[in-house]
Amino acid sequence: EAEVAQSPRYKITEKSQAVAFWCDPISGHATLYWYRQILGQGPELLVQFQDESVVDDSQLPKDRFSAERLKGVDSTLKIQPAELGDSAMYLCASQRGSSLNTEAFFGQGTRLTVV
Amino acid sequence: AQSVTQLGSHVSVSEGALVLLRCNYSSSVPPYLFWYVQYPNQGLQLLLKYTSAATLVKGINGFEAEFKKSETSFHLTKPSAHMSDAAEYFCAVTPYNQGGKLIFGQGTELSVKP
């Protein structure tokens, strides 16, 4: 069964360091999302891609976060420099289109701890 | 802005008892509504979704939810809890005309006692 792949599963980094997360969506899924889930809260959208284009990055802290999906397939989310408050689960999801008739599938996430 | 509110951050039931997880939405336009389940250190799995067809929606693992416009509610139920249902449950809404973006509630942790 196809699934969204994310790596690494766990990451511990020191504050002020750079960190990157990788997501490989399900083949053929044009829409890709990055969500951040702080412990005890629901996920919040950071960025949405349609193919290689950013559709929504209104909640992405652009002074330290960046996201790319150069060939419209896999994607990387980067934080530089990391801050203590960035400790969270980072979830990637992909969807065949952006229609509500298609389901978004989530990866297992990357658990980031900033020390 | 559209949002969902989940009443109760933690619910505990006995095995075999009714499960009721509450969700209310705020929207002037009937939205698309979802319930997701998350097991520890895992991603989210879709349980069911309401897309303005039938108001009673059946999902996986015996769960169902009823859309009630008059109460702006979309509560999740299961007649008989199983130990494997213990997890975090999230209600979510998709803003009108914003494609697949999901806005999640704070979540409800379900515990099932033997």
Side-chain angles (χ1 to χ4, degrees):
Chain A
E1 181 177 301
E3 60 180 31
V4 177
Q6 290 189 247
S7 67
R9 286 293 312 277
Y10 303 92
K11 179 72 177 178
I12 299 175
T13 191
E14 295 183 348
K15 68 177 182 178
S16 79
Q17 295 298 303
V19 64
F21 316 126
W22 178 78
C23 172
D24 189 12
I26 295 172
S27 178
H29 283 197
T31 305
L32 185 147
Y33 309 88
W34 283 102
Y35 287 86
R36 176 172 62 183
Q37 184 179 19
I38 296 171
L39 189 64
Q41 299 183 18
E44 293 181 304
L45 181 71
L46 290 175
V47 61
Q48 176 183 349
F49 288 94
Q50 182 70 29
D51 298 310
E52 67 275 10
S53 299
V54 173
V55 173
D56 184 349
D57 64 356
S58 58
Q59 300 304 308
L60 187 71
K62 298 180 188 63
D63 58 334
R64 298 185 300 108
F65 285 64
S66 64
E68 61 182 16
R69 194 184 183 198
L70 292 177
K71 297 183 179 179
V73 182
D74 59 335
S75 175
T76 302
L77 178 69
K78 297 179 181 177
I79 308 175
Q80 182 174 19
E83 296 181 352
L84 296 177
D86 297 330
S87 294
M89 174 80 91
Y90 291 82
L91 294 163
C92 179
S94 72
Q95 190 172 3
R96 183 166 297 280
S98 59
S99 164
L100 293 168
N101 291 321
T102 60
E103 178 182 344
F105 292 87
F106 284 79
Q108 293 190 309
T110 296
R111 169 76 65 189
L112 172 68
T113 302
V114 182
V115 297
Chain B
Q2 293 193 3
S3 65
V4 290
T5 301
Q6 293 184 240
L7 301 177
S9 59
H10 186 260
V11 170
S12 182
V13 300
S14 297
E15 191 173 19
L18 171 72
V19 175
L20 171 60
L21 304 182
R22 301 177 186 273
C23 173
N24 289 88
Y25 67 90
S26 65
S27 174
S28 58
V29 178
Y32 283 24
L33 292 158
F34 306 80
W35 275 100
Y36 282 85
V37 61
Q38 185 178 36
Y39 297 99
N41 288 315
Q42 298 292 319
L44 283 78
Q45 181 183 13
L46 180 66
L47 282 176
L48 49 82
K49 67 178 180 181
Y50 167 74
T51 58
S52 74
T55 57
L56 183 62
V57 182
K58 294 187 182 298
I60 62 172
N61 301 339
F63 284 94
E64 63 181 36
E66 186 173 7
F67 175 76
K68 291 187 176 181
K69 184 177 179 181
S70 61
E71 299 177 7
T72 61
S73 69
F74 190 58
H75 301 332
L76 181 71
T77 60
K78 182 174 180 178
S80 177
H82 192 273
M83 296 296 291
S84 62
D85 294 326
E88 188 90 17
Y89 290 81
F90 293 94
C91 182
V93 64
T94 289
Y96 184 69
N97 276 348
Q98 291 191 32
K101 169 184 176 179
L102 291 164
I103 296 175
F104 289 88
Q106 294 285 73
T108 297
E109 182 181 359
L110 176 66
S111 299
V112 182
K113 299 175 291 186

